[in-house]
Amino acid sequence: MKAILNVIWLVLSGFWLALGYALAGIICCVLIVTIPWGIASFRIAGYALWPFGRTVVDRPGAGGWSVLGNIVWIVFAGWWLALGHIITAVPLFVSIIGIPLGIANLKMIPISLLPLGKDIVSTDTRYPAYQPA
Protein backbone atom coordinates (compact mmCIF):
# COMPACT_ATOMS: atom_id res chain seq x y z
CA MET A 1 0.00 0.00 0.00
CA LYS A 2 2.88 2.36 0.80
CA ALA A 3 4.32 1.88 -2.67
CA ILE A 4 1.00 2.68 -4.36
CA LEU A 5 0.56 5.82 -2.24
CA ASN A 6 4.14 6.89 -2.96
CA VAL A 7 3.68 6.51 -6.73
CA ILE A 8 0.42 8.50 -6.68
CA TRP A 9 2.10 11.09 -4.43
CA LEU A 10 5.07 11.35 -6.79
CA VAL A 11 2.84 12.05 -9.78
CA LEU A 12 0.43 14.48 -8.10
CA SER A 13 2.68 16.59 -5.89
CA GLY A 14 5.89 14.92 -4.77
CA PHE A 15 7.93 15.76 -7.85
CA TRP A 16 7.14 19.49 -7.66
CA LEU A 17 7.71 19.70 -3.92
CA ALA A 18 11.03 17.87 -4.24
CA LEU A 19 12.07 20.33 -6.96
CA GLY A 20 11.29 23.21 -4.59
CA TYR A 21 13.40 21.67 -1.84
CA ALA A 22 16.21 20.90 -4.29
CA LEU A 23 16.18 24.50 -5.53
CA ALA A 24 16.36 25.76 -1.95
CA GLY A 25 19.22 23.32 -1.28
CA ILE A 26 21.17 24.47 -4.34
CA ILE A 27 20.78 28.13 -3.37
CA CYS A 28 21.87 27.35 0.19
CA CYS A 29 24.92 25.41 -0.99
CA VAL A 30 25.98 28.18 -3.37
CA LEU A 31 25.99 30.61 -0.44
CA ILE A 32 28.77 28.75 1.39
CA VAL A 33 27.71 29.82 4.89
CA THR A 34 24.30 28.19 4.49
CA ILE A 35 25.47 24.70 3.54
CA PRO A 36 23.88 23.07 6.65
CA TRP A 37 20.49 24.35 5.49
CA GLY A 38 21.24 23.06 1.99
CA ILE A 39 21.98 19.59 3.32
CA ALA A 40 18.75 19.64 5.34
CA SER A 41 16.85 20.80 2.27
CA PHE A 42 18.22 17.94 0.13
CA ARG A 43 17.31 15.48 2.90
CA ILE A 44 13.74 16.79 2.96
CA ALA A 45 13.59 16.71 -0.85
CA GLY A 46 14.02 12.95 -0.68
CA TYR A 47 11.31 12.76 1.94
CA ALA A 48 8.98 14.96 -0.15
CA LEU A 49 9.61 12.70 -3.13
CA TRP A 50 8.75 9.41 -1.36
CA PRO A 51 7.14 10.11 2.07
CA PHE A 52 4.98 7.11 2.88
CA GLY A 53 6.71 4.58 5.11
CA ARG A 54 8.90 7.25 6.72
CA THR A 55 8.42 9.67 9.57
CA VAL A 56 10.11 12.69 11.14
CA VAL A 57 11.57 12.42 14.64
CA ASP A 58 13.53 14.76 16.86
CA ARG A 59 17.29 14.27 16.66
CA PRO A 60 18.66 13.50 20.12
CA GLY A 61 21.22 16.06 21.22
CA ALA A 62 20.13 18.84 18.86
CA GLY A 63 20.82 22.00 20.79
CA GLY A 64 20.49 25.72 20.64
CA TRP A 65 22.21 26.04 17.28
CA SER A 66 19.34 24.09 15.72
CA VAL A 67 16.84 26.55 17.20
CA LEU A 68 18.80 29.52 15.90
CA GLY A 69 19.24 27.87 12.50
CA ASN A 70 15.53 27.11 12.27
CA ILE A 71 14.68 30.76 12.92
CA VAL A 72 16.95 31.80 10.05
CA TRP A 73 15.46 29.06 7.85
CA ILE A 74 11.85 30.16 8.51
CA VAL A 75 12.65 33.73 7.50
CA PHE A 76 14.43 32.93 4.24
CA ALA A 77 13.06 29.64 2.90
CA GLY A 78 10.77 27.79 5.29
CA TRP A 79 7.65 29.83 4.82
CA TRP A 80 7.95 29.55 1.02
CA LEU A 81 8.17 25.78 1.23
CA ALA A 82 5.31 25.60 3.74
CA LEU A 83 3.23 27.71 1.37
CA GLY A 84 4.07 25.22 -1.40
CA HIS A 85 2.70 22.41 0.76
CA ILE A 86 -0.52 24.35 1.38
CA ILE A 87 -0.93 25.21 -2.31
CA THR A 88 -0.47 21.58 -3.36
CA ALA A 89 -2.71 20.28 -0.57
CA VAL A 90 -5.75 22.29 -1.66
CA PRO A 91 -6.27 20.54 -5.05
CA LEU A 92 -5.63 17.20 -3.39
CA PHE A 93 -8.42 17.89 -0.90
CA VAL A 94 -10.76 18.99 -3.71
CA SER A 95 -10.38 15.62 -5.40
CA ILE A 96 -11.92 13.02 -3.13
CA ILE A 97 -9.22 10.46 -3.91
CA GLY A 98 -6.46 12.91 -2.95
CA ILE A 99 -7.65 13.56 0.62
CA PRO A 100 -5.11 11.17 2.24
CA LEU A 101 -2.37 12.80 0.16
CA GLY A 102 -3.54 16.26 1.19
CA ILE A 103 -3.35 15.22 4.84
CA ALA A 104 0.17 13.88 4.27
CA ASN A 105 1.07 17.15 2.59
CA LEU A 106 -0.08 19.17 5.60
CA LYS A 107 1.87 16.85 7.92
CA MET A 108 5.05 17.90 6.08
CA ILE A 109 4.64 21.57 6.97
CA PRO A 110 6.39 21.33 10.38
CA ILE A 111 9.58 19.90 8.86
CA SER A 112 9.45 22.46 6.07
CA LEU A 113 9.45 25.19 8.71
CA LEU A 114 11.84 23.61 11.24
CA PRO A 115 14.22 21.18 9.45
CA LEU A 116 17.25 21.36 11.74
CA GLY A 117 17.29 19.01 14.72
CA LYS A 118 15.08 16.47 12.94
CA ASP A 119 15.74 13.07 11.39
CA ILE A 120 13.72 11.26 8.75
CA VAL A 121 13.51 7.56 9.57
CA SER A 122 11.70 4.54 8.23
CA THR A 123 8.61 3.60 10.19
CA ASP A 124 9.81 -0.01 10.06
CA THR A 125 13.02 0.61 12.03
CA ARG A 126 13.31 0.99 15.76
CA TYR A 127 14.50 4.45 16.69
CA PRO A 128 14.94 5.57 20.31
CA ALA A 129 13.23 8.94 19.79
CA TYR A 130 10.32 7.42 17.85
CA GLN A 131 7.78 5.66 20.04
CA PRO A 132 4.67 4.58 18.13
CA ALA A 133 1.43 5.06 20.03
Side-chain angles (χ1 to χ4, degrees):
M1 189 63 159
K2 288 185 256 186
I4 293 170
L5 284 172
N6 277 323
V7 169
I8 295 170
W9 171 269
L10 178 69
V11 171
L12 295 180
S13 63
F15 179 73
W16 302 110
L17 290 170
L19 279 179
Y21 282 106
L23 178 64
I26 290 168
I27 292 169
C28 288
C29 286
V30 167
L31 307 169
I32 304 298
V33 176
T34 56
I35 287 177
W37 291 277
I39 293 169
S41 186
F42 288 132
R43 186 170 34 94
I44 300 169
Y47 180 55
L49 202 58
W50 206 257
F52 294 99
R54 297 194 282 175
T55 189
V56 178
V57 296
D58 291 325
R59 179 179 296 147
W65 290 111
S66 293
V67 174
L68 182 62
N70 281 330
I71 292 169
V72 171
W73 175 262
I74 288 173
V75 171
F76 292 106
W79 71 276
W80 284 102
L81 294 167
L83 185 64
H85 282 290
I86 293 169
I87 290 170
T88 56
V90 170
L92 290 172
F93 280 120
V94 171
S95 71
I96 303 300
I97 294 173
I99 290 174
L101 302 175
I103 292 169
N105 214 340
L106 295 179
K107 286 182 179 180
M108 294 178 121
I109 291 175
I111 195 166
S112 71
L113 290 172
L114 307 169
L116 301 178
K118 304 287 185 191
D119 277 332
I120 299 167
V121 297
S122 172
T123 55
D124 298 334
T125 60
R126 300 294 297 173
Y127 189 74
Y130 174 65
Q131 299 297 326

